[in-house]
Amino acid sequence: MTISETNSPFIALSSISKAYRTRAISVPIFDNLDLSIEKGEFVAVMGPSGSGKSTLLNLLAGLDGPDSGDIKIAGQRLDHMGEAARSAWRAHHLGIVFQFYNLLPMLTAEENVELPLLLKPFPASIRRERVAKTLDLVGLCGFGRQNPSRLSGGQQQRVGIARAIVSDPTLLLCDEPTGDLDRASADEILTMLGYLNRELGKTIVMVTHDPEAAEAADRILHLDKGAFVERARVMS
Amino acid sequence: MRSTIRQITAMSRTTLLSIPRRLAISLSMVGSIMLVVCVLSGFLAMARGFEITLQSAGSPDVAVVLGGGPREEGNSEIPPDVIRSLMATRGDIGVLRNDRGVPILSREIVVPVEFRTDPDAVGETLALRGMDETGPGVRAGVTLSSGRPIQPGTREIIVGEQLAARYSGLGVGNRVRLGPVNWIVVGHFSSFGSALESEIWGDIDAVAAAFNRVGEVQSLRLRLAVTDQIDGLSRAAAEFVGAQLIALTEAELYASQSAGTARLVRYFGWPIVLLMAIGATAGALNTMMSSVSDRTVEIATVRAMGFSRVSACLATWLEAVLLSVVGVGLGLATSWLMMNGWEASTMGANGTSLAFQLVVGRDAMVEAALVGLAIGAVGGAVPAFAAARLPVTDALRGRG
């Protein structure tokens, strides 16, 4: 797959409509939603519960599809892809950071980090090398053999971030990455995300309820009843 | 392709490593499969042991002549004039003859007798076979393991090793009551564990007199000149039209007897095993659905990373198959250790007791293993598809 180098935005959602349906009722989430995010941007998405934040992340991750509208990321139409193609796309272009880390408890930290590399044609030696470098990058050098349950919340989230970036994806989706952490640990994670954005050029979309966390982003989008209220913010 | 294999390997590893979280239900699946394997191999071992015991009793060197039409001794009857005519036959009928040129044969009758270890005990029906002095010698592989042979015309008996081992009252020198008279045990005979060892042998005239069957003969035993060559005797037997004689090798006789009983054991066993297998399959399905439920977040997490549906499906299915492999292994080991060589007895010909050993052979083990594996494979299929179709977004939302 190649990444489009045209002038179009890195992420472009246009006229997205999405509703959740049960047998009896249909609950609209988005109605003609548009969104553009440039390559290398760090965008925070805030909003009350039920405003569509998680649905937006699921659409961007290709885990869910829109009822109508286009989703174009890195020049590729996600809404045109089948299930297998979207899995392959996620494996190559996407890293996801979860609120509750979602580490596999039966694996060590380095085995968790290695998982996305199994989707790529790397030999074991290269995988080990990349895992070690990535754990070093997130400040967990020497913790690779630890089981996740023996790590603090902040350390577990750093393992989660290492897992998300180990395959060098262009896009990071963060679902409340500091939601389960104390303030100090949350600040460490936000600093790390800022580093990944500024120094490694990762495009980051972060859903958060925490205004302080949102302040780490270049741009904060307020989502309310399926529509964006945008506030410009300039990084110092 | 390599990536797919790595995905399946990684997911299978995480799946198997997570089994301790649901150990109890996983063990219940292993246990139910083990039980099915044990029961099936038990039935098959019973059928096979019965077959082997009866088939080993029959020799292709020995001919049996039956009269009256049926292919079993119980309802057979051979008129005395037919026996005299056969003994007087001078042509080559394919049987061994003595120094005087007379075919070596043994006239025989089998009488079911009730034997009690003590007067208050429940009697067990045993086979008392009356035979000529030539009877033991005509048979292949029969040896006197203790005592001495029967004196013709006396109420002396020799007892098969298996019966002697089962009933202490049948020791050499003991006096036992069989039917209306007492008999003296003068020896024990061995026939390599075959069905013959479940019989008591006595003199034909003494047996016939004791049970009011003087002059009756149910079968003739003759030694064939050439192994399995029964054509000459069959032709000679066919000349006695009125007596409806049938000549067959002892091997054929016992094979036809064993086939019916072994088939009955299998026909009885398979429905039971299939019912148990259906239950075990439902159990396996339940276990594996629990596994999918337990691993929902893990499956959703790796699927969100880009792992394929196939890997989620196969990892779940492999867990089911591996648990069934454990169940099969334990089931086979248990059945082999507990049942192979186990002494059993059943009703043989004439309603008499027949001792045999269960044989957990390769065929029985393969059949039982295939049923056990099928339980895992079928029971794991639906949950495997459920794992593949797991709604990732719902699963991840549920975690929060």
Side-chain angles (χ1 to χ4, degrees):
Chain A
M1 293 187 197
T2 57
I3 296 172
S4 171
E5 295 297 340
T6 63
N7 289 330
S8 60
F10 182 68
I11 297 174
L13 273 61
S14 59
S15 305
I16 295 294
S17 293
K18 177 75 181 173
Y20 287 115
R21 292 180 183 81
T22 62
R23 281 181 191 166
I25 56 166
S26 172
V27 180
I29 305 296
F30 300 132
D31 184 18
N32 281 318
L33 182 82
D34 294 318
L35 172 66
S36 294
I37 295 174
E38 297 301 327
K39 192 165 192 303
E41 246 193 312
F42 186 170
V43 175
V45 180
M46 298 188 72
S49 294
S51 60
K53 303 187 299 294
S54 294
T55 304
L56 176 67
L57 276 195
N58 289 337
L59 291 173
L60 291 175
L63 295 173
D64 205 351
D67 296 335
S68 63
D70 304 340
I71 301 176
K72 194 186 248 186
I73 300 178
Q76 294 186 315
R77 287 283 297 271
L78 255 63
D79 52 299
H80 284 183
M81 292 181 189
E83 170 63 35
R86 279 185 284 158
S87 289
W89 178 84
R90 282 196 297 275
H92 286 86
H93 297 293
L94 182 68
I96 302 178
V97 179
F98 300 94
Q99 178 180 1
F100 297 105
Y101 333 126
N102 288 24
L103 301 178
L104 274 60
M106 72 293 291
L107 301 182
T108 62
E110 61 188 13
E111 286 170 338
N112 268 284
V113 175
E114 190 188 13
L115 284 172
L117 296 178
L118 298 175
L119 302 167
K120 299 203 165 190
F122 296 138
S125 57
I126 300 287
R127 293 202 301 270
R128 277 196 297 272
E129 190 183 325
R130 288 186 74 154
V131 168
K133 277 184 181 173
T134 312
L135 282 173
D136 194 22
L137 181 71
V138 298
L140 287 178
C141 185
F143 287 84
R145 299 283 169 88
Q146 296 277 5
N147 194 276
S149 60
R150 304 192 67 157
L151 300 174
S152 69
Q155 287 172 323
Q156 288 189 51
Q157 190 57 294
R158 281 193 272 167
V159 174
I161 291 172
R163 184 178 63 186
I165 63 171
V166 71
S167 59
D168 197 22
T170 47
L171 175 61
L172 269 186
L173 299 180
C174 306
D175 187 5
E176 301 264 14
T178 59
D180 198 41
L181 300 176
D182 58 54
R183 190 69 260 162
S185 299
D187 288 342
E188 282 178 18
I189 295 301
L190 291 169
T191 304
M192 189 169 296
L193 291 176
Y195 173 83
L196 294 172
N197 171 244
R198 284 191 308 277
E199 304 302 324
L200 303 182
K202 306 291 180 198
T203 304
I204 299 176
V205 179
M206 176 177 71
V207 163
T208 182
H209 278 108
D210 179 4
E212 284 189 51
E215 288 298 314
D218 302 334
R219 186 155 60 115
I220 302 171
L221 300 174
H222 287 269
L223 197 53
D224 194 13
K225 293 175 186 169
F228 282 122
V229 182
E230 190 172 338
R231 290 179 192 169
R233 183 179 176 283
V234 179
M235 287 285 294
S236 58
Chain B
M1 186 63 189
R2 273 188 183 176
S3 167
T4 305
I5 292 170
R6 277 202 298 260
Q7 287 178 51
I8 293 166
T9 307
M11 282 212 73
S12 300
R13 181 163 173 256
T14 58
T15 301
L16 296 179
L17 287 172
S18 67
I19 286 177
R21 294 203 307 247
R22 45 184 186 283
L23 191 61
I25 196 163
S26 299
L27 286 179
S28 76
M29 176 177 163
V30 168
S32 62
I33 290 174
M34 178 182 151
L35 198 63
V36 171
V37 169
C38 276
V39 170
L40 178 56
S41 41
F43 274 113
L44 295 176
M46 211 183 293
R48 188 67 194 129
F50 188 78
E51 278 175 341
I52 288 174
T53 301
L54 272 184
Q55 285 168 7
S56 62
S59 164
D61 292 324
V62 178
V64 181
V65 177
L66 302 171
R71 289 172 72 94
E72 49 146 332
E73 287 182 278
N75 295 318
S76 166
E77 186 179 353
I78 300 178
D81 57 320
V82 169
I83 300 169
R84 280 195 296 273
S85 297
L86 262 180
M87 291 181 77
T89 306
R90 290 293 156 196
D92 182 12
I93 57 172
V95 299
L96 294 186
R97 294 171 183 272
N98 62 18
D99 298 341
R100 290 175 283 126
V102 177
I104 302 171
L105 63 76
S106 168
R107 300 167 301 144
E108 305 195 350
I109 58 171
V110 180
V111 182
V113 291
E114 193 172 71
F115 173 71
R116 284 187 167 87
T117 48
D118 66 72
D120 297 328
V122 177
E124 183 152 359
T125 306
L126 306 179
L128 172 62
R129 181 181 291 274
M131 59 174 63
D132 281 322
E133 191 179 4
T134 51
V138 163
R139 289 170 166 80
V142 174
T143 54
L144 203 63
S145 53
S146 62
R148 60 169 176 79
I150 305 159
Q151 296 278 352
T154 62
R155 285 181 185 158
E156 293 179 348
I157 51 174
I158 55 173
V159 178
E161 285 279 10
Q162 291 206 24
L163 274 189
R166 200 152 20 123
Y167 302 111
S168 58
L170 294 174
V172 175
N174 284 11
R175 185 181 292 270
V176 294
R177 190 165 188 86
L178 300 175
V181 296
N182 289 328
W183 303 75
I184 297 173
V185 181
V186 297
H188 291 162
F189 66 90
S190 162
S191 62
F192 302 108
S194 78
L196 299 180
E197 289 187 14
S198 291
E199 292 184 344
I200 300 170
W201 292 350
D203 176 75
I204 183 167
D205 295 325
V207 171
F211 292 90
N212 200 24
R213 293 173 69 172
V214 175
E216 276 187 33
V217 173
Q218 289 178 318
S219 66
L220 301 176
R221 291 287 199 289
L222 302 99
R223 191 67 177 262
L224 290 170
V226 180
T227 300
D228 241 352
Q229 293 296 313
I230 193 124
D231 294 348
L233 186 60
S234 292
R235 275 194 298 275
E239 289 175 12
F240 301 96
V241 178
Q244 292 181 281
L245 296 188
I246 299 169
L248 67 171
T249 65
E250 204 179 43
E252 288 172 335
L253 174 68
Y254 284 118
S256 66
Q257 281 180 12
S258 68
T261 307
R263 202 180 305 125
L264 190 69
V265 171
R266 290 195 175 95
Y267 285 170
F268 181 69
W270 270 107
I272 292 174
V273 168
L274 287 178
L275 280 175
M276 289 179 69
I278 290 169
T281 304
L285 192 141
N286 185 42
T287 300
M288 295 315 301
M289 288 307 278
S290 297
S291 166
V292 174
S293 172
D294 180 55
R295 294 181 296 114
T296 295
V297 174
E298 290 154 23
I299 294 169
T301 301
V302 294
R303 292 271 295 111
M305 282 179 211
F307 276 60
S308 65
R309 281 182 165 167
V310 173
S311 61
C313 177
L314 279 181
T316 305
W317 190 72
L318 277 175
E319 181 192 355
V321 171
L322 280 175
L323 287 176
S324 67
V325 166
V326 175
V328 165
L330 289 174
L332 290 181
T334 307
S335 55
W336 194 82
L337 287 170
M338 291 183 67
M339 292 191 275
N340 196 40
W342 190 61
E343 295 277 349
S345 68
T346 186
M347 298 290 273
N350 312 311
T352 57
S353 173
L354 171 65
F356 63 99
Q357 288 189 333
L358 270 64
V359 177
V360 184
R362 196 181 62 182
D363 290 352
M365 291 173 98
V366 168
E367 277 185 60
L370 288 176
V371 169
L373 291 176
I375 291 169
V378 174
V382 172
F385 282 110
R389 308 284 307 173
L390 187 82
V392 177
T393 53
D394 290 349
L396 292 175
R397 195 181 301 131
R399 177 70 171 82

